[in-house]
Amino acid sequence: MAAEVHVVAHPLVQHKLTLMRDKDTSTSKFRTLLREISTLLAYEVCRDFPTTMIEVETPIGKTMAPVLDGKKLVLISILRAGNGLLDGMLDLIPSARVGHIGLYRDHQTLAPVEYYFKVPDSMSERDVIIVDPMLATGNSAVAAVSRIKKTGPRSIKFMCLLTVPEGLQVFHATHPDVPVYTASIDERLNEKSYIVPGLGDAGDRMFGTK
Ligand code: URA
């Protein structure tokens, strides 16, 4: 299976991303932009979700019309920066369920270690969108998807704001079946594994912790 990467090139997405990259953009403006851009990205991620026909009665008469198929979909945030994408996605998909996965990097082995995991029940009947603004080295994204796969969801997609070719390569080497949706594929990682040109530390910028 060819690994899928969708770059959402919509001018509104690209405009908002440029404002987010600017180091002089304030925390509150950054949050507002993040909420708006995550709604637009979510719209694209949901584009091919299956629908089923139901009967509906309009004020004029009965008709068959489409609704999303299956149980409520699940947004999985990779803590902590993933949380910044949730509000905008929930604006668009208010009935979605939300799960969280917390991972930290072991200083010795550099491997991701899970410290928190909570997802809804009946995962085998649900479609999942895993979210993290920065798919950088790809290590935590790979670990998060591997963990979610153990719950056996109907489908998995990964949504981020920014990524880089080396991160995508790492990610799709393990999970070629999981499509990635992003606003940009940037140039590269620097020696500290930050995305270049990127937007800095996404968590610090959205929570004002720098
Ligand atoms: N995480 C971030 O917040 N920023 C990067 O550039 C890379 C990973």
Side-chain angles (χ1 to χ4, degrees):
M1 172 188 293
E4 277 179 45
V5 182
H6 301 262
V7 178
V8 182
H10 193 289
L12 279 176
V13 169
Q14 295 304 315
H15 178 86
K16 290 175 193 300
L17 178 59
T18 299
L19 299 179
M20 294 180 79
R21 289 185 191 275
D22 186 339
K23 65 179 177 37
D24 293 326
T25 295
S26 68
T27 300
S28 76
K29 183 72 185 164
F30 189 90
R31 274 195 211 128
T32 303
L33 289 162
L34 186 62
R35 187 178 189 133
E36 293 167 352
I37 207 169
S38 55
T39 305
L40 296 168
L41 291 174
Y43 179 78
E44 278 303 314
V45 176
C46 295
R47 181 174 286 280
D48 62 356
F49 274 165
T51 55
T52 189
M53 300 301 277
I54 61 162
E55 188 178 272
V56 63
E57 190 165 356
T58 79
I60 310 300
K62 284 186 184 168
T63 187
M64 298 298 286
V67 289
L68 286 172
D69 179 54
K71 276 193 175 281
K72 304 281 183 272
L73 77 94
V74 188
L75 312 177
I76 305 274
S77 162
I78 302 181
L79 299 173
R80 75 181 161 147
N83 281 7
L85 296 169
L86 290 177
D87 287 344
M89 298 181 80
L90 288 167
D91 287 344
L92 190 70
I93 322 160
S95 59
R97 303 308 191 226
V98 178
H100 295 89
I101 179 161
L103 302 163
Y104 70 88
R105 199 197 312 200
D106 184 286
H107 285 307
Q108 244 122 52
T109 63
L110 299 182
V113 181
E114 182 181 307
Y115 67 86
Y116 188 79
F117 187 77
K118 187 91 178 169
V119 296
D121 60 14
S122 313
M123 286 291 281
S124 61
E125 297 166 65
R126 299 182 191 273
D127 298 304
V128 168
I129 306 171
I130 302 177
V131 300
D132 192 352
M134 312 299 262
L135 199 172
T137 62
N139 295 334
S140 48
V142 165
V145 172
S146 298
R147 182 65 179 88
I148 294 298
K149 277 185 174 173
K150 287 187 188 155
T151 69
R154 188 166 74 162
S155 73
I156 304 178
K157 293 179 174 185
F158 193 94
M159 184 184 119
C160 58
L161 266 189
L162 295 183
T163 186
V164 283
E166 54 264 60
L168 285 171
Q169 205 177 6
V170 166
F171 183 82
H172 276 143
T174 308
H175 299 300
D177 53 325
V178 177
V180 173
Y181 291 75
T182 185
S184 173
I185 304 174
D186 276 12
E187 284 166 28
R188 60 185 169 86
L189 295 177
N190 70 11
E191 59 294 343
K192 291 183 174 159
S193 297
Y194 278 94
I195 292 177
V196 180
L199 49 72
D201 186 302
D204 281 346
R205 294 205 60 193
M206 72 181 72
F207 296 123
T209 43
K210 185 87 178 161

